[in-house]
Amino acid sequence: MKIDSKDFRVREGDEVNLKKWPTIVDPVYKSKKQYQKLLEDHVAQLSAVQQLHYASDRHAVLLIFQAMDAAGKDGAIRHVMSGVNPQGCQVFSFKHPSPIELQHDFLWRTTRDLPERGRIGIFNRSYYEEVLIARVHPEILRSEAIPDAPQHDKKVWHDRYRSIADLEKHLHANGTRIVKFYLHLSKEEQRKRFLARIDEPEKNWKFSLADIEERKFWKEYRKAYEECLGATSTADVPWYVVPADDKENARLIVSQIVLDAFEGLKMAYPKTTTERHAELLSIREQLAQ
């Protein structure tokens, strides 16, 4: 299987039905050894392109990861970005808003952590939580004390989708390229991974009763994701629905999509001016003495 980013892309205006999107596809690799080789190749390419990205200093890149629990967000970030220079990359995880964050609009806390030009920012969960978990659990929305909050739920989410789309449009117009991943996990595969977290002592720390409680809201989360993906995937800032039941395959798909996004930036190293070239020749002469 050859990875084509378009196969996983949600087209602008599409009505999303996640039951029709696969959680597993034919793997790119034929063996664990080949998987390691393919991933190493992707990581090496990302390392090289990151250096060019930093040197060109024209764009910022923001990668957003959203998923159900145990879908492999942490693993995808860790493996795919393993060769990237930490000085040029930052990862932010967003959990329940703090009291200070609740005193601001819902986009404030994530906006503070947007990447600079020449850098890569990674959001492990993001402002999209405000149309996902806040939708599934209305008490979270109430805690935000929105003035004159409309009584009709649909208007709340419509307004938030519009705010998110407007923010992403603004960022894109000003040089930030955003790539959004939804790691699409099946309920059965989540069950298996939860059991592994119980049965394998080194994974016990990953599991809590809260995970089981959230699993009870599977249908509600799926509906929230479907509407969110459909409302906020645009031509410039698309969502990619990545089959996540096979972790290794998901990582290869993610890394290829990231590489494709960088290729679209058409980056180049800064050209040396005549004055700078003369300066460098002068320095060479001094070093030759």
Side-chain angles (χ1 to χ4, degrees):
M1 171 187 170
K2 183 179 178 182
I3 300 173
D4 187 339
S5 298
K6 294 192 294 294
D7 292 340
F8 309 100
R9 182 171 179 157
V10 178
R11 293 175 299 182
E12 184 171 358
D14 274 3
E15 185 174 327
V16 178
N17 180 350
L18 287 174
K19 289 182 179 179
K20 296 181 179 180
W21 287 78
T23 59
I24 192 165
V25 292
D26 292 337
V28 180
Y29 61 95
K30 296 181 180 179
S31 65
K32 288 287 186 179
K33 184 176 180 180
Q34 188 186 24
Y35 157 71
Q36 291 290 349
K37 178 64 170 60
L38 290 170
L39 185 62
E40 287 172 6
D41 289 346
H42 283 187
V43 168
Q45 291 178 60
L46 280 171
S47 179
V49 81
Q50 183 207 14
Q51 183 176 342
L52 176 57
H53 171 56
Y54 183 80
S56 64
D57 195 33
R58 292 184 58 82
H59 295 91
V61 172
L62 174 63
L63 310 179
I64 293 177
F65 289 84
Q66 293 284 160
M68 298 288 210
D69 290 332
K73 297 188 309 300
D74 293 344
I77 294 168
R78 184 173 65 253
H79 286 81
V80 172
M81 308 307 290
S82 60
V84 171
N85 186 336
Q87 291 182 322
C89 179
Q90 288 181 295
V91 181
F92 297 94
S93 295
F94 298 98
K95 300 186 183 298
H96 194 282
S98 70
I100 292 176
E101 290 167 343
L102 287 172
Q103 292 298 107
H104 294 268
D105 69 273
F106 78 94
L107 291 171
W108 180 78
R109 66 172 179 157
T110 48
T111 304
R112 294 176 301 166
D113 296 324
L114 290 170
E116 307 163 26
R117 282 196 306 272
R119 296 182 181 273
I120 302 170
I122 300 173
F123 285 180
N124 185 346
R125 301 192 187 278
S126 66
Y127 42 80
Y128 279 101
E129 292 295 289
E130 294 290 345
V131 292
L132 296 168
I133 189 171
R135 181 168 185 169
V136 174
H137 297 287
E139 65 275 12
I140 294 177
L141 186 65
R142 289 194 292 270
S143 73
E144 296 178 2
I146 303 170
D148 303 320
Q151 296 300 310
H152 200 298
D153 281 354
K154 287 188 177 180
K155 186 172 188 327
V156 174
W157 311 124
H158 176 270
D159 289 350
R160 289 198 166 189
Y161 294 147
R162 185 175 60 185
S163 294
I164 289 171
D166 286 347
L167 170 67
E168 292 180 344
K169 182 178 180 180
H170 165 77
L171 292 173
H172 182 86
N174 286 275
T176 297
R177 294 298 176 260
I178 305 171
V179 188
K180 302 181 294 192
F181 298 101
Y182 171 63
L183 302 188
H184 189 23
L185 185 74
S186 67
K187 193 173 184 180
E188 173 59 19
E189 181 62 22
Q190 186 194 61
R191 184 185 72 85
K192 292 177 181 178
R193 294 183 188 181
F194 278 174
L195 289 172
R197 291 180 177 185
I198 295 171
D199 296 339
E200 300 173 32
E202 66 274 14
K203 294 183 178 180
N204 289 172
W205 65 275
K206 291 185 175 183
F207 191 71
S208 71
L209 289 176
D211 295 329
I212 287 296
E213 289 302 311
E214 288 302 288
R215 181 174 163 85
K216 296 176 182 177
F217 295 95
W218 185 273
K219 289 183 179 180
E220 290 83 354
Y221 273 112
R222 185 175 63 198
K223 180 181 178 181
Y225 268 112
E226 287 173 342
E227 294 197 16
C228 167
L229 296 173
T232 60
S233 193
T234 64
D236 290 330
V237 188
W239 275 102
Y240 293 92
V241 179
V242 177
D245 281 5
D246 180 337
K247 290 181 180 180
E248 288 81 6
N249 210 45
R251 292 164 190 164
L252 292 173
I253 293 170
V254 167
S255 55
Q256 185 61 63
I257 292 172
V258 174
L259 284 169
D260 291 347
F262 272 111
E263 185 177 346
L265 297 183
K266 299 180 181 178
M267 300 175 293
Y269 285 104
K271 292 183 178 179
T272 302
T273 64
T274 303
E275 293 79 7
R276 176 60 173 160
H277 183 64
E279 181 184 40
L280 291 173
L281 289 177
S282 175
I283 294 172
R284 169 179 277 279
E285 290 176 2
Q286 294 178 49
L287 290 172
Q289 295 176 2

